[in-house]
Amino acid sequence: MWQQWRAGHSLLFHGFGSKAGLLAEFAAKWTLDGACFNVNGLQPGLTSQHILAWATAAAKGSKPALYRAYKPADLMELLTSPGGKRVYVIINNIDGPGLRDPTSQHQLALLAAVPNVHLAASVDHVNAALLWDLQTRDRFAWVWHHVPTYAPYLQEVVHAAIAPLLVGRREEEAKKGALVVLASLSHNAREVFRLLSEQQLGPDGEQGIAFDRLFQLCREQFLVSNETLLSSFLTEFRDHDLLKARRTTEGFDLLHLPFAPDHLQQLLEDLVSLT
């Protein structure tokens, strides 16, 4: 992970639970050769310009107040000028309310692309990938790391409740987000998702499938060798809101994917490109 960081990639941590403590520990261990600052992306009033000013101050060894009136373009010019220190930028919740607009993400991507700047961040919603167009994503050069900590969101809720990102968007966007997550999973995990999709789209699959039946089908196709492995795949899906459970009147739980049939069919077709 450290090698990815030093090679010019930005690190993006996702998964259920607060990543604040994890990011702090990571920074304490791997940023000793430069200046480092930690940002709470949910802090009210926070803007990308604040972060650019803090990064400039860290690179130049000066105080952030000196750069308060600078425009983003001027700050970027200072950051890319010779002689700056190595700077590590840690952003817990880069999908926070003050940072999720395209302009802010564009500016942060430019910051991440500066050779002596290294960015690590966290997100808390699967649809966070929709924040970035292709050019912005390439500038970030993200390497995604699934790190479910299951830690309570204590630090985050001091400033704001974590609300779903991009609420009210069409299910089409949820499908795109699902495809991004699936691309980060193993081949066998994607095949299990494909099997779930095919079963749900079948004539008797609308209500879902029982775990025991799914395990039987997965074993027949050599996707898993034991229930523990299948459970780990299903946990990945649940963590990203790709899987739900319904309880029948008989008291049995049925697993189902929370997508309309047409979107699920399209997602199934898009999975082919990931194989």
Side-chain angles (χ1 to χ4, degrees), residues 127-193:
N127 282 347
L130 300 179
L131 286 170
W132 308 299
D133 58 28
L134 183 60
Q135 184 182 50
T136 302
R137 189 169 68 244
D138 287 347
R139 282 181 173 142
F140 274 119
W142 291 121
V143 176
W144 290 63
H145 290 277
H146 183 218
V147 287
T149 65
Y150 305 103
Y153 291 97
L154 298 179
Q155 177 174 321
E156 291 83 352
V157 299
V158 168
H159 297 293
I162 295 180
L165 181 62
L166 306 176
V167 171
R169 293 291 184 91
R170 301 184 309 275
E171 191 173 3
E172 174 66 20
E173 294 180 340
K175 178 183 70 67
K176 291 179 182 178
L179 196 62
V180 171
V181 172
L182 290 168
S184 70
L185 301 180
S186 69
H187 172 76
N188 279 15
R190 292 196 296 271
E191 286 299 294
V192 171
F193 188 89

Side-chain angles (χ1 to χ4, degrees), residues 6-7 14 21-22 24-25 27 52 59 71 84 86 95 106 136 144 151 155 162 182 210-211 214 243 255 275:
R6 291 300 293 269
H14 65 103
L22 177 71
E25 291 177 8
L52 292 179
K71 295 180 179 179
R86 188 182 299 276
D95 53 348
H106 173 72
T136 302
W144 290 63
Q155 177 174 321
I162 295 180
L182 290 168
F211 178 88
L214 178 63
L243 182 69
L255 304 170
T275 59

